[in-house]
Amino acid sequence: MKVLFDLQYLNVASTGIKTYMVELAKGFRKYPHPEIEFIFTHEPDEQLKDESFKGPQSKIQRLNYHLDYFRWKEFQLPDLVKKYKPDVLICPDFVSPAASLPCRRLTIIHDAFFWQMPQNYPRWWRKYFLSLIKKGLKEQTEIITTTEYSKKSLLENLGDDFPISVIYQCPKSLKSPSELGVFSKLNLEKQGYYLHIGTFDKRKQLLLLTNAFAEFVKQTGSDKKLLLVGGPGQSDQMNDFPKVEALIQELGLEEQVLIPGYLSDGEIKSLYEGAFAYVFPSENEGFGIPIPEAMGFGLPVIHSDQKALMEVAGGAGLPFQTGNQQDLLEKMILLEQDSALRQSLSEKGKIRSADFSPQKFVEAFHQIILKSGS
């Protein structure tokens, strides 16, 4: 069976979708199946290096990107289908070609944010992108999503015209050597900081976390720090970075709440290895990669009780009521004071993280590919 894997979007992908595409491509090569031949539209490493549409852009540059993306999905990708004659086309970025194709389609729709949180997107862009998604849902399509929560959300917004399957993804494989210099670079002590990694999207609730941490320091006198690693939100509507930065200054916490931007894989690995705990207060996630990632390093994880995060944590995290600053504060204090709880969460987390291995991720795709061909 021949499978064509669309990797075009890696030239702009960030955070979760980038990790999904890269790890799946690596997995297809590391765990081959004797009955499946994979063809990649692009070499992953080369596509990641393409800087054509990355970084700050003018309106003209953004328009050029959308035109490039449209050309790819509606003309170039269908041409590759004609060329390679695959049995299955995998599109991991929500959108499959609107053109009729002679093969089955596995379209990955990671979450239902476009329907659930319209306020976070430019109106014209959201309308355009939703039209692309819907036009590509045709013929022999099966939707793949990341959690049962996302599946339920997609059924509510797309209906049940096409089957939806859940495949748990794996976190990023941090194979780079640890870069211990990050501790002196950021003036950190091991076990001396809470960690959060991700963009400053509004839904990540980093303002809430910063306020809760300020109260935590006030009530406990702790000298621990809060490390918020990552870059701005993906649009003006979604970006809380300036607000978090201003709040830190207002609270006088410039020395205790650190926002170092993006860091290297080796630095991220060191930060996971040295953190006291991971905090994930997001109000909405389709999956929540940092949970199994942090748990794999043995970190206790405090997370909101948002449904996808509860599903992924599987009882191995310490949940608080989503959006409730006081509850988050109480969980941080509890974790600080209860060493037995920290040890228990660490042990449970390591066990839970094994459910999100690269091999399981890939083998779940193998099963669906072969099932669709039976």
Side-chain angles (χ1 to χ4, degrees), residues 20 94 107-112 142-154 163-169 286-287 361 365 368:
Y20 192 105
F94 291 80
T107 300
I108 293 112
I109 301 182
H110 299 258
D111 50 60
E142 181 167 357
I143 296 170
I144 308 296
T145 195
T146 53
T147 54
E148 293 295 337
Y149 164 74
S150 288
K151 177 178 178 177
K152 181 180 178 182
S153 301
L154 290 173
I164 303 178
S165 296
V166 173
I167 293 179
Y168 284 156
Q169 65 193 93
F287 183 79
F361 185 29
F365 267 93
I368 287 180

Side-chain angles (χ1 to χ4, degrees), residues 308-323:
L309 300 186
M310 293 292 288
E311 180 180 340
V312 170
L318 182 61
F320 73 94
Q321 185 180 25
T322 302

Side-chain angles (χ1 to χ4, degrees), residues 239-259:
N239 185 24
D240 260 354
F241 186 90
K243 293 180 180 179
V244 173
E245 196 172 35
L247 178 61
I248 292 169
Q249 294 174 356
E250 179 187 328
L251 295 169
L253 289 175
E254 292 93 337
E255 298 299 317
Q256 277 190 276
V257 182
L258 309 180
I259 47 176

Side-chain angles (χ1 to χ4, degrees), residues 27-76:
F28 283 153
R29 286 180 167 165
K30 186 174 182 179
Y31 304 104
H33 192 286
E35 297 178 40
I36 304 174
E37 174 191 356
F38 286 100
I39 301 166
F40 292 177
T41 62
H42 301 76
E43 274 301 312
D45 290 343
E46 292 302 314
Q47 191 66 357
L48 284 168
K49 293 176 184 176
D50 183 355
E51 299 288 332
S52 303
F53 300 106
K54 291 179 180 175
Q57 297 176 342
S58 67
K59 289 184 178 180
I60 294 296
Q61 288 172 315
R62 290 196 294 270
L63 177 60
N64 284 336
Y65 165 69
H66 289 304
L67 290 173
D68 183 76
Y69 184 81
F70 183 82
R71 281 194 301 269
W72 169 257
K73 285 292 182 181
E74 305 307 340
F75 298 100
Q76 294 168 282

Side-chain angles (χ1 to χ4, degrees), residues 9-136:
Y9 189 67
L10 274 180
N11 66 346
V12 294
S14 62
T15 60
I17 296 181
K18 175 182 175 182
T19 298
Y20 192 105
M21 294 174 70
V22 169
E23 296 305 319
L24 188 55
K26 286 180 182 177
F28 283 153
R29 286 180 167 165
K30 186 174 182 179
Y31 304 104
H33 192 286
E35 297 178 40
I36 304 174
E37 174 191 356
F38 286 100
I39 301 166
F40 292 177
T41 62
H42 301 76
E43 274 301 312
D45 290 343
E46 292 302 314
Q47 191 66 357
L48 284 168
K49 293 176 184 176
D50 183 355
E51 299 288 332
S52 303
F53 300 106
K54 291 179 180 175
Q57 297 176 342
S58 67
K59 289 184 178 180
I60 294 296
Q61 288 172 315
R62 290 196 294 270
L63 177 60
N64 284 336
Y65 165 69
H66 289 304
L67 290 173
D68 183 76
Y69 184 81
F70 183 82
R71 281 194 301 269
W72 169 257
K73 285 292 182 181
E74 305 307 340
F75 298 100
Q76 294 168 282
L77 185 55
D79 282 346
L80 286 182
V81 170
K82 292 178 183 176
K83 176 181 177 180
Y84 291 113
K85 297 179 172 56
D87 300 285
V88 178
L89 170 66
I90 299 178
C91 292
D93 57 340
F94 291 80
V95 176
S96 176
S100 291
L101 300 176
C103 61
R104 297 178 175 89
R105 311 175 192 220
L106 298 182
T107 300
I108 293 112
I109 301 182
H110 299 258
D111 50 60
F113 295 166
F114 297 114
W115 294 275
Q116 294 172 326
M117 310 177 81
Q119 71 277 8
N120 285 356
Y121 305 93
R123 184 180 300 177
W124 70 268
W125 183 88
R126 175 178 173 271
K127 184 177 181 180
Y128 166 72
F129 199 70
L130 284 177
S131 72
L132 287 182
I133 293 174
K134 291 177 180 178
K135 287 177 181 177

Side-chain angles (χ1 to χ4, degrees), residues 276 300 335-347:
F276 175 76
L335 198 65
E336 177 87 0
Q337 296 175 344
D338 193 336
S339 60
L341 174 62
R342 295 197 301 273
Q343 182 64 29
S344 174
L345 290 172
S346 176
E347 293 170 358

